[in-house]
Amino acid sequence: MNRLHALRHSLQHATTNEFRVACLCIVASLLLAVPCEAADEQPPNIVLMMCDDLGWGDTGFNGNTIIQTPNLDQLASEGVILDHFYSVGPVCSPTRASFLTGRHYYRMGVWTANQGHLPAEEYTLARMLHDQGYATGHFGKWHLGTLSRTMSSKGQKRRPDLHYSPPWERDYDTSFVTESAVCTWDPGIGPRSKNNPYFENGQPTHENVLGCDSRVLMDRAIPFIEDSVRQQKPFLSVIWFHAPHEDIQAGPEYLAKYKGHGEAAHYYGCITAVDDQVGRLREKLQELHVADNTLIFFCSDNGPEGGVPKDRSKTRRAGSAGEFSGRKRSVLDGGVRVPAFVHWPKHLPSEIRNETPTSVLDLLPTIAHLTNAKPHPQRQLDGENAWPIWKGEISQRSKPIPFRYGNFACLVSDGYKLIIESPQNTPKDRLFHLATDVKEQNNLADQHPDRVASMREEILSFLESSKQSHAGKEYDNASPPVDRWRGLGKK
């Protein structure tokens, strides 16, 4: 205030030239006074990593004592472990749609895995940062539409003529992706690769697609980062590992690390393979002298696969949801609460376990804040800027976190989760207090009717808003949706 008062006094006694100089001084003074959390000399680089079907309890930083994840553990310990982080989707494609847009996947018609696609009208992280001058790259799994107009993986579950939606037409400068899951070893061959090759910048490729899949994709991500640094451009690198999604196969060196663990050795080994590539990435960032100005985020797309494999000769699936109930395909926390951390020691505290609920919905608004970008004004965001939460400045979020899958819709708000199965009928409503009932076994709906009624109203309002989004109400000149709206319960 003293500085501004002095400038005001100078203006009152200034000549024309002096007035111009004083105005410039005021502008500079105000710019310096504006708080900017990412106030480096250049915009921050962003690396967003995600595993596929990695359970909350599958990493050392969340207490696993068998699976070796030293690089992830070190990054987590130097940053903020997001102890209550939600994928939002209990399966792959929905989470990925929300990850890139900050919007619930039902707004886009991405109902479940291998269904729907990322509409061209959506304002994604890649588009937002591309508009800010960033180099944008996507590596690994895509799962948000077909990569060809004539073929699709997974037995043609997506019609390629309706669901063509590749990353190179969604504002990525560089991409190296598969449409859906591949084997974690030798991804370029085998049943999973049928109609599902790696596409490199829009063209199918069979070059360097054998061996460890995590290494194969990092072999493409690192040159993208090197090239961005060489061009002195900030970069967004989205790296979506296939591991530990089936088909699970670990390479010989990783199997040797888990000798005596039977079939689980493959699961453990492919996670450690991911960890090695994360360590390799970190070393490269340090070598390029950009580590201090690079935010690294890591999570999983849903809980671990559950049950017994189709091949009954194999042991029960090895993934761990920790202490939580439910696994993949469940809206219970074991299906949607996943391991996560954010690492940027120059700006964030270290050795912190943050227990405030956050989710993939928060990534776009948070990164918008950090890069001074603006989300699309006509796109209803379901996430919020989580930067004050990550920094520990606040301990409560302002927006509830919505879920929708199969027969269920639910909401996490103010420490509670409400799960409903019908817009009108309430007997199956379930209300859980998450802090005191981590297994979600004690239904409190009858004890808190007012809370249930309020949260029910929020859920139904969210669903109606999503229905309008799905119909294209937020898009200019949008074509009709390719699939009908999927309501909740019987109308």
Side-chain angles (χ1 to χ4, degrees):
M1 291 302 293
N2 291 336
R3 182 168 52 184
L4 293 177
H5 183 272
L7 287 168
R8 188 185 302 113
H9 181 270
S10 298
L11 286 176
Q12 292 171 347
H13 301 86
T15 65
T16 301
N17 287 334
E18 289 171 336
F19 179 85
R20 292 178 182 144
V21 172
C23 286
L24 290 174
C25 289
I26 289 175
V27 171
S29 177
L30 291 174
L31 287 174
L32 290 171
V34 173
C36 181
E37 302 291 357
D40 287 284
E41 294 181 357
Q42 57 186 2
N45 305 307
I46 309 291
V47 176
L48 305 176
M49 296 184 287
M50 184 162 65
C51 275
D52 197 345
D53 290 3
L54 184 74
W56 188 94
D58 285 335
T59 63
F61 65 82
N62 274 351
N64 194 294
T65 59
I66 298 175
I67 304 175
Q68 300 168 33
T69 55
N71 294 295
L72 290 169
D73 298 345
Q74 183 175 356
L75 286 168
S77 69
E78 294 171 355
V80 180
I81 297 173
L82 303 174
D83 194 57
H84 199 153
F85 187 84
Y86 286 114
S87 62
V88 178
V91 291
C92 318
S93 300
T95 292
R96 295 164 197 276
S98 292
F99 186 113
L100 296 182
T101 63
R103 288 156 56 81
H104 196 275
Y105 44 88
Y106 255 59
R107 295 187 185 277
M108 292 161 266
V110 183
W111 318 115
T112 186
N114 300 297
Q115 294 185 12
H117 66 272
L118 181 64
E121 295 85 359
E122 283 296 325
Y123 194 73
T124 64
L125 274 167
R127 182 171 300 180
M128 182 179 75
L129 293 185
H130 198 273
D131 290 347
Q132 294 291 107
Y134 275 66
T136 56
H138 193 108
F139 309 92
K141 193 174 183 179
W142 178 240
H143 224 208
L144 287 173
T146 68
L147 306 179
S148 165
R149 295 185 186 276
T150 59
M151 71 175 182
S152 175
S153 65
K154 300 293 289 184
Q156 302 289 331
K157 287 187 178 180
R158 281 189 176 107
R159 281 181 53 181
D161 58 328
L162 294 178
H163 295 292
Y164 178 71
S165 177
W168 54 88
E169 294 192 11
R170 295 297 183 268
D171 299 283
Y172 283 105
D173 301 311
T174 301
S175 57
F176 177 72
V177 295
T178 63
E179 180 187 333
S180 61
V182 293
C183 186
T184 58
W185 183 262
D186 286 348
I189 60 177
R192 287 272 185 182
S193 68
K194 184 178 180 180
N195 291 340
N196 189 32
Y198 260 114
F199 280 74
E200 188 161 23
N201 297 322
Q203 298 299 319
T205 182
H206 298 287
E207 182 180 349
N208 185 19
V209 292
L210 299 180
C212 175
D213 178 68
S214 296
R215 190 267 308 156
V216 165
L217 69 91
M218 195 62 74
D219 281 354
R220 267 66 172 204
I222 285 178
F224 162 76
I225 291 172
E226 290 174 325
D227 190 55
S228 301
V229 173
R230 190 179 305 114
Q231 295 182 47
Q232 298 184 324
K233 293 188 71 172
F235 57 83
L236 166 71
S237 182
V238 178
I239 304 172
W240 285 353
F241 296 101
H242 292 98
H245 190 290
E246 298 176 334
D247 296 344
I248 301 169
Q249 184 178 347
E253 65 176 297
Y254 295 104
L255 284 177
K257 292 177 182 289
Y258 297 103
K259 188 176 181 180
H261 287 277
E263 285 294 324
H266 285 282
Y267 186 88
Y268 301 160
C270 73
I271 294 173
T272 298
V274 168
D275 185 81
D276 279 352
Q277 295 307 312
V278 172
R280 178 185 169 199
L281 172 65
R282 187 181 192 189
E283 288 179 2
K284 178 56 66 173
L285 294 172
Q286 293 170 336
E287 176 188 320
L288 295 171
H289 306 291
V290 295
D292 285 349
N293 196 37
T294 300
L295 180 149
I296 298 175
F297 174 85
F298 175 87
C299 73
S300 177
D301 65 345
N302 45 248
E305 186 63 87
V308 178
K310 293 179 181 178
D311 183 351
R312 298 282 174 163
S313 66
K314 295 184 178 180
T315 58
R316 188 176 182 85
R317 294 182 173 107
S320 169
E323 59 185 335
F324 307 109
S325 297
R327 296 170 79 90
K328 183 178 179 178
R329 303 179 190 85
S330 171
V331 294
L332 296 176
D333 268 17
V336 289
R337 190 162 167 173
V338 295
F341 66 77
V342 59
H343 176 276
W344 200 11
K346 194 171 181 180
H347 298 283
L348 289 170
S350 60
E351 299 182 355
I352 297 294
R353 294 192 76 93
N354 190 302
E355 297 181 357
T356 303
T358 50
S359 81
V360 297
L361 294 166
D362 302 328
L363 290 177
L364 186 142
T366 303
I367 292 171
H369 166 77
L370 294 175
T371 59
N372 294 318
K374 299 295 183 184
H376 197 293
Q378 294 179 324
R379 302 291 181 270
Q380 175 66 50
L381 291 181
D382 298 301
E384 65 181 78
N385 174 19
W387 187 247
I389 296 174
W390 291 357
K391 292 197 73 174
E393 295 172 349
I394 61 175
S395 59
Q396 283 190 316
R397 64 182 295 114
S398 60
K399 288 186 177 181
I401 301 175
F403 304 79
R404 177 72 176 88
Y405 186 73
N407 297 325
F408 307 105
C410 54
L411 199 75
V412 168
S413 179
D414 195 26
Y416 288 85
K417 180 195 280 187
L418 178 67
I419 302 175
I420 69 173
E421 299 184 36
S422 167
Q424 300 92 6
N425 299 325
T426 62
K428 293 184 178 180
D429 288 357
R430 289 175 285 165
L431 180 72
F432 304 111
H433 185 247
L434 296 173
T436 59
D437 182 20
V438 295
K439 292 189 178 297
E440 296 170 270
Q441 295 178 335
N442 185 20
N443 186 359
L444 304 176
D446 290 342
Q447 300 177 37
H448 299 281
D450 291 343
R451 182 180 293 275
V452 169
S454 174
M455 292 180 71
R456 245 187 169 276
E457 184 177 351
E458 283 190 275
I459 291 174
L460 297 178
S461 176
F462 155 73
L463 291 176
E464 180 57 32
S465 174
S466 296
K467 183 177 181 180
Q468 296 302 311
S469 297
H470 174 255
K473 299 298 184 182
E474 297 163 86
Y475 301 155
D476 294 329
N477 303 317
S479 57
V482 298
D483 196 5
R484 63 178 178 82
W485 171 253
R486 297 197 182 183
L488 178 68
K490 295 181 179 180
K491 299 295 181 80

